[in-house]
Amino acid sequence: MEKKNIDWGSLGFGYVKTDFRYVSNFKDGKWDDGAIVTDDTITISECAGVLQYAQTVFEGLKAYTTEDGHIVTFRPDLNAERINNSAARLEIPVLPEGRFIDAVTKTVKANENVVPPYGSGATLYIRPYIFGVNPVIGVKPADEYQFRIFTTPVGPYFKGGAKPITIKVSDFDRAAPHGTGHIKAGLNYAMSLHAIVTAHHEGFDENMYLDPATRTKVEETGGANFLFVTKDGKVVTPKSDSILPSITRRSLVYVAKEYLGLEVEEREVLFSEVKDFAECGLCGTAAVISPVGKIVDHGNEICLPSGMQEMGPVTKKLYDTLTGIQMGRIEAPKGWIHVIE
Ligand code: PLP
Ligand code: COI
């Protein structure tokens, strides 16, 4: 199949309309069969549940072209599980077994001409989402829903790719204790918009959110989990009930232990410890692993010893191993790679 004429290497993390998307509707208590369509617009009631009470959940995963020319996705079973966990928390009907992966597979296949070639530095970002469509005015869940998936070719999430970024400790909270921080609901991201605009105005790339109850522990950023490396080479990653269970982070924990023989601690991380770490990175589907060079807490600067020029050495090893697995250069653990074609 001939690829679209796109300058893959200059793509940032933005929306580029592609030819096909997937749509399935939930009505009268059941999901229909779903189909690939071309229309990128949606017509819904002015009073739709998603518009009035933000009843929507989403996912994010990528399709990669491997070294030997296959198109694959990475652990989509975990996205399938997570979207259903998110849906259940917002009283959205879950997807039937197998539907998510089938829909992702069909959508990627249909958009094969925009799956970036191997070695281009770009990937195809896949955005599945479910939202309430029928009128809802009293505060209650909708009765009708739409599940859609679109794709967009993307480059690095942060401008500059692997260049370390500077983040600030946010004065805002992203999630409440016992709230929705652990699910991928649009409302969590709406919550973070003022905080990210504020951070950008102040010259920072991202926010570090602390735990909302005590503001003493590291949680995550608006779109990625944290990974730290201690001065003696241990990987440390925050554990919290109010952060998103990142598939990238869970995979990196395995990679660190089983591929690189590193010690890993998944535990609460006090903000007061951060000044003692050697490396820091943000991990997620969009972020992959984006190195952090500096963390600023109300004017108090923490400069990571790995510096502002390049990724720290342990972060780099994790990055190379994970992307090597995703692009087929390194053998993947069983079940991690879903071959689309
Ligand atoms: N944390 C938040 C808030 C996110 O939006 C994401 C992105 O999906 C992640 C973490 C990383 O999760 P994953 O690695 O599953 O993409
Ligand atoms: C992802 O990594 O898939 C996300 O959803 C993060 C978002 C900030 C783009």
Side-chain angles (χ1 to χ4, degrees):
M1 138 120 14
E2 198 172 322
K3 295 284 174 188
K4 265 216 169 133
N5 184 18
I6 293 175
D7 181 5
W8 309 104
S10 64
L11 288 171
F13 195 86
Y15 175 72
V16 176
K17 186 177 143 188
T18 59
D19 294 339
F20 300 102
R21 58 276 301 126
Y22 178 92
V23 182
S24 178
N25 291 297
F26 181 91
K27 200 172 172 177
D28 300 327
K30 57 180 193 306
W31 288 102
D32 69 12
D33 289 342
I36 294 289
V37 301
T38 53
D39 190 359
D40 62 317
T41 64
I42 302 169
T43 303
I44 50 174
S45 163
E46 63 187 353
C47 196
V50 61
L51 299 178
Q52 301 310 320
Y53 302 125
Q55 199 187 10
T56 179
V57 294
F58 71 100
E59 268 306 321
L61 66 163
K62 284 173 170 172
Y64 309 84
T65 303
T66 59
E67 192 171 26
D68 62 359
H70 290 291
I71 294 174
V72 304
T73 54
F74 181 71
R75 309 188 79 181
D77 52 317
L78 299 185
N79 298 95
E81 181 182 287
R82 194 170 63 186
I83 202 169
N84 276 353
N85 290 340
S86 300
R89 178 65 175 77
L90 291 199
E91 293 296 335
I92 291 173
V94 299
L95 298 169
E97 178 79 31
R99 168 62 65 90
F100 182 90
I101 293 183
D102 179 57
V104 165
T105 304
K106 286 182 173 139
T107 316
V108 173
K109 255 193 191 149
N111 291 293
E112 194 191 331
N113 66 344
V114 284
V115 181
Y118 176 76
S120 64
T123 50
L124 188 71
Y125 187 69
I126 306 163
R127 174 52 65 85
Y129 54 118
I130 314 176
F131 52 99
V133 292
N134 67 297
V136 171
I137 194 71
V139 179
K140 64 176 182 134
D143 305 307
E144 295 174 14
Y145 294 84
Q146 193 162 100
F147 166 43
R148 294 182 76 100
I149 306 179
F150 68 80
T151 59
T152 178
V154 295
Y157 190 70
F158 293 102
K159 278 200 293 292
K163 207 108 175 114
I165 58 168
T166 302
I167 63 177
K168 74 168 274 189
V169 177
S170 183
D171 291 322
F172 300 100
D173 294 326
R174 176 183 176 273
H178 316 295
T180 55
H182 62 298
I183 61 161
K184 212 160 164 56
L187 60 93
N188 292 332
Y189 300 79
M191 290 271 297
S192 72
L193 295 177
H194 179 60
I196 192 68
V197 169
T198 304
H200 286 163
H201 274 153
E202 293 171 0
F204 299 102
D205 298 297
E206 250 300 349
N207 281 301
M208 170 186 274
Y209 293 103
L210 300 180
D211 75 291
T214 71
R215 292 191 153 234
T216 58
K217 291 172 266 184
V218 177
E219 293 254 293
E220 61 176 331
T221 70
N225 284 178
F226 278 105
L227 269 187
F228 299 99
V229 181
T230 62
K231 288 189 175 131
D232 58 358
K234 245 186 255 157
V235 174
V236 179
T237 184
K239 191 170 171 172
S240 160
D241 291 340
S242 47
I243 65 174
L244 194 76
S246 160
I247 294 162
T248 314
R249 185 247 304 160
R250 287 182 269 161
S251 305
L252 286 167
V253 164
Y254 184 89
V255 162
K257 287 184 195 163
E258 305 299 330
Y259 283 63
L260 302 176
L262 299 171
E263 215 178 298
V264 180
E265 292 178 357
E266 296 178 83
R267 59 167 172 84
E268 289 189 337
V269 175
L270 292 173
F271 180 69
S272 59
E273 293 177 65
V274 170
K275 62 177 181 353
D276 300 321
F277 290 126
E279 299 175 37
C280 172
L282 308 183
C283 62
T285 299
V288 192
I289 311 182
S290 301
V292 175
K294 196 192 281 187
I295 302 167
V296 182
D297 177 25
H298 299 94
N300 180 24
E301 290 192 353
I302 298 173
C303 297
L304 278 297
S306 49
M308 292 304 293
Q309 290 312 311
E310 50 196 45
M311 277 191 194
V314 176
T315 308
K316 176 89 171 75
K317 266 193 215 159
L318 287 166
Y319 178 93
D320 287 345
T321 313
L322 179 72
T323 54
I325 290 170
Q326 291 167 333
M327 311 278 178
R329 291 186 296 269
I330 297 175
E331 192 173 340
K334 199 163 173 294
W336 279 24
I337 299 297
H338 172 66
V339 179
I340 290 191
E341 55 185 39

